[in-house]
Amino acid sequence: MKTLNFRNIRNIALAGVLSLSAASCDHSLDIEPKYDVVSANVYRDFANYKSILAKMYAGYAVTGQQGPAGRPDISGIDEGFSNYLRQYWQAQELSTDEAIIAWNDGTLRDLHDMDWTPANEFLRALYNRIFYQVSLTNEFIRETQDAQLSERGITGANLEEARRYRAEARFLRALSYWHALDLYGNVPFVTEQDRVGSFFPEQTTRADLFSYVESELLAIESELGEPGFEYGRADKAAAWTLLAKLYLNAEVYTGQGRYADAVTYSRRVIDSGRYQLEAEYGNLFLADNHTSSEIIFPITFDGLRTTTWGGMTYLVHAPVGGNMNAAAFGINGGWGGLRTTKNIVELFPSTNATPDERAMFHTDGQNLEIADIFTFTDGYPITKFKNVNRAGQAGSDPSGNHPDTDFPMFRLADVYLMYAEAVLRGGGGSAADALDYVNQLRRRAYTDATGNVRGNGGAISQGQLTLDFIINERARELKWEGHRRTDLIRFNRFTSATYVWPWKGAVPEGRGVEEFRRLYPIPSTDLTANPNLTQNPGYTR
């Protein structure tokens, strides 16, 4: 079992200290428990600070104060469905060629059909989770200003640690605001500077929110811990990685390319020397992946202490079904939901004499073609995430429900690919280094468990390293890790009729959809609650 303190979060009742200045005005976002403690009492004792910070990290993983269900942080939807990671993953993956789901819950099918509306409850749950996180972090940042710390007599080493905690909270707020600008664009905006109390937040523009997230990350860079100082916590490398992602997508967000900056911040992560590629690709997605030196920033899980029906519980159980052996995944049974489309399968040619270790498809008893979305055996499940360790032993939860596997939100392989793409897009840097980084990933993919490289090791030449190659390599390396929608938008393949996949646009062969779907709609509930908000173009209220 992993012992990181941040996993022991089930009984932290932070919602009781949360102010009402939430960025979302959706009245269905009811916060539990109801104000049984107050900020002044909680923040008076420095010993409480790390537990409060842990709750902010846990906001991406768990859904309430109890786990796996009961005393939810927000209401208005099934608690397991409301999970931040679960809904973020679905928004990034189910809307693309990488994932399709056999379930017909509510408006879930609309994500892959790409015909969602502002009433979609899953997009609303994600929106509410994002702004719940913003509210948590705003409160912590407000209560840990230097003046408040001085008034409470927090000095010396505790003062320095409190400032680091504050910088981490600012990183987490920047992360959630990045999700908001990437997914929803023009959203309500509130910081710790806004007054405490119920009010209607003003709506910011996507470009202004980009500038804000950038400025926050640059401001806290020197205050965060050194790369790898404590697993599971945001450090300088996490901030550099998020900056690289922000800059790589800047042309989408603002209309102005920032590829040179993407090169700069990718390089900072690489040159830190702290991170190395995991020797065996599959080890990145197992129950002991917290031991990997490749993972820069995870969402952490523990089968006994971080329990939820979303998060990694969902990502390990939902792709298992048909004739698959659940015990091989360290779980008590599969949920028969998630598969991928033939577009992704065909990136791994079956005729290749030296197979790519990253393929990870279960094909036995499955059909490549998806004739029926709701038939689990139509489409290939991806066998990536497992609740077993490198020795094949199941995780710590004896029931087989909740995995120990962490979600690798940021890892070095992604940084290598971002660097290569930014170089190809004219950001400067070294073309030779870009090729080397890509070939390191490919050599790993073509190396067996004993360290022998098969064939040519999958290496490519400089002339083969093109943007078309990069988008495909990102799918091979990073599939099901929550990047695909953002990648397809950046490559102008998300809505276009020139690139389709099964059931894109709700037809079996796939079709192009409206350009406005590059952004999700502001939920109808928040538009009704907040008169300052305007819906994204293309959607009705």
Side-chain angles (χ1 to χ4, degrees):
M1 184 194 307
K2 293 166 281 190
T3 58
L4 177 67
N5 290 337
F6 281 11
R7 287 184 170 81
N8 192 14
I9 45 75
R10 287 188 296 177
N11 297 317
I12 298 170
L14 179 61
V17 304
L18 184 66
S19 77
L20 287 173
S21 56
S24 170
C25 279
D26 180 354
H27 295 309
S28 70
L29 201 163
D30 293 329
I31 297 166
E32 300 290 345
K34 300 294 186 182
Y35 305 95
D36 48 1
V37 292
V38 294
S39 297
N41 294 333
V42 172
Y43 287 98
R44 186 174 294 120
D45 185 354
F46 176 75
N48 293 328
Y49 283 31
K50 192 169 186 178
S51 294
I52 300 171
L53 183 65
K55 170 61 179 179
M56 287 177 237
Y57 281 95
Y60 300 102
V62 300
T63 54
Q65 305 299 318
Q66 180 171 298
R71 301 182 70 202
D73 291 327
I74 64 175
S75 62
I77 191 170
D78 175 89
E79 187 175 342
F81 284 162
S82 81
N83 178 266
Y84 195 124
L85 174 58
R86 179 171 178 164
Q87 293 308 326
Y88 180 72
W89 189 93
Q90 289 186 163
Q92 287 288 75
E93 297 288 359
L94 288 182
S95 59
T96 76
D97 52 354
E98 284 196 352
I100 196 165
I101 197 163
W103 307 339
N104 198 22
D105 300 288
T107 57
L108 186 59
R109 176 178 175 167
D110 294 352
L111 295 182
H112 194 80
D113 286 349
M114 301 185 80
D115 57 5
W116 51 76
T117 72
N120 186 285
E121 67 265 39
F122 299 98
L123 297 177
R124 183 178 72 245
L126 174 57
Y127 179 93
N128 286 348
R129 277 289 172 191
I130 288 171
F131 287 110
Y132 178 70
Q133 282 292 104
V134 168
S135 297
L136 291 180
T137 51
N138 278 344
E139 177 72 6
F140 186 84
I141 296 163
R142 182 183 297 113
E143 292 291 344
T144 55
Q145 298 298 303
D146 283 355
Q148 279 83 353
L149 296 174
S150 176
E151 180 181 322
R152 293 165 184 148
I154 297 173
T155 60
N158 286 350
L159 175 61
E160 293 307 308
E161 192 70 3
R163 287 170 172 165
R164 178 175 292 178
Y165 292 164
R166 183 176 66 212
E168 291 178 53
R170 290 174 72 180
F171 170 85
L172 296 177
R173 179 174 63 183
L175 177 64
S176 286
Y177 265 138
W178 173 59
H179 291 159
L181 81 88
D182 183 77
L183 294 159
Y184 299 97
N186 310 311
V187 295
F189 180 69
V190 171
T191 74
E192 78 282 4
Q193 300 298 325
D194 290 286
R195 69 186 187 277
V196 175
S198 182
F199 66 97
F200 297 124
E202 296 293 331
Q203 189 168 21
T204 191
T205 67
R206 201 179 200 190
D208 284 347
L209 189 53
F210 173 95
S211 297
Y212 174 77
V213 172
E214 177 190 24
S215 66
E216 280 289 283
L217 293 170
L218 294 175
I220 63 175
E221 180 181 352
S222 63
E223 300 175 5
L224 292 167
E226 293 301 315
F229 82 102
E230 183 178 335
Y231 180 83
R233 290 175 65 180
D235 56 24
K236 288 181 171 67
W240 297 334
T241 304
L242 184 49
L243 279 165
K245 287 188 168 295
L246 192 71
Y247 292 135
L248 189 65
N249 293 285
E251 192 166 4
V252 173
Y253 300 151
T254 71
Q256 178 182 354
R258 298 284 296 274
Y259 301 112
D261 291 318
V263 166
T264 295
Y265 282 92
S266 297
R267 173 66 79 185
R268 286 193 185 179
V269 177
I270 296 166
D271 288 348
S272 73
R274 171 60 180 80
Y275 303 98
Q276 297 179 344
L277 293 183
E278 181 68 36
E280 186 74 17
Y281 179 78
N283 290 345
L284 286 161
F285 315 105
L286 300 180
D288 54 359
N289 62 348
H290 63 287
T291 64
S292 175
S293 60
E294 182 172 336
I295 296 176
I296 298 167
F297 183 72
I299 298 177
T300 61
F301 289 86
D302 184 294
L304 298 177
R305 297 176 177 176
T306 316
T307 57
T308 172
W309 295 114
M312 292 305 297
T313 303
Y314 167 67
L315 289 179
V316 175
H317 285 263
V320 176
N323 65 10
M324 299 171 72
N325 178 12
F329 292 81
I331 54 176
N332 54 16
W335 295 354
L338 295 170
R339 299 95 70 215
T340 194
T341 74
K342 65 181 179 181
N343 292 49
I344 302 304
V345 177
E346 290 170 354
L347 294 176
F348 300 86
S350 59
T351 57
N352 195 329
T354 54
D356 190 325
E357 290 291 303
R358 301 171 298 183
M360 294 181 162
F361 303 115
H362 181 85
T363 61
D364 183 33
Q366 301 292 132
N367 304 309
L368 177 62
E369 298 291 342
I370 302 174
D372 180 5
I373 289 176
F374 303 115
T375 298
F376 179 78
T377 51
D378 282 2
Y380 290 174
I382 292 174
T383 59
K384 193 168 195 173
F385 299 112
K386 298 179 180 179
N387 182 38
V388 295
N389 63 21
R390 298 176 191 207
Q393 299 167 325
S396 61
D397 178 12
S399 74
N401 280 322
H402 305 295
D404 290 338
T405 314
D406 295 339
F407 182 79
M409 179 163 277
F410 298 160
R411 61 183 177 93
L412 183 62
D414 184 18
V415 176
Y416 278 179
L417 290 168
M418 288 195 292
Y419 180 91
E421 181 181 337
V423 169
L424 289 172
R425 290 187 183 275
S430 166
D433 285 348
L435 179 64
D436 176 56
Y437 296 147
V438 171
N439 277 336
Q440 286 187 47
L441 303 183
R442 294 186 62 77
R443 290 189 185 100
R444 173 173 65 180
Y446 287 82
T447 301
D448 65 25
T450 63
N452 295 317
V453 177
R454 297 186 298 273
N456 67 352
I460 63 168
S461 67
Q462 194 76 63
Q464 293 173 290
L465 186 58
T466 64
L467 286 174
D468 282 343
F469 181 89
I470 286 290
I471 183 63
N472 291 335
E473 190 68 8
R474 287 187 64 82
R476 285 185 284 263
E477 178 69 28
L478 301 169
K479 63 183 181 298
W480 279 24
E481 294 181 52
H483 304 284
R484 188 61 169 173
R485 171 190 159 275
T486 302
D487 288 349
L488 289 176
I489 290 172
R490 190 171 65 254
F491 280 80
N492 294 313
R493 297 186 180 188
F494 185 62
T495 57
S496 170
T498 61
Y499 183 72
V500 298
W501 52 84
W503 296 99
K504 177 180 181 178
V507 298
E509 67 277 12
R511 66 173 179 85
V513 299
E514 306 92 339
E515 188 74 4
F516 69 78
R517 295 195 183 276
R518 286 160 59 104
L519 278 176
Y520 286 122
I522 305 297
S524 299
T525 48
D526 220 28
L527 286 170
T528 300
N530 185 354
N532 293 331
L533 301 184
T534 300
Q535 182 58 274
N536 286 329
Y539 297 103
T540 61
R541 291 182 67 88

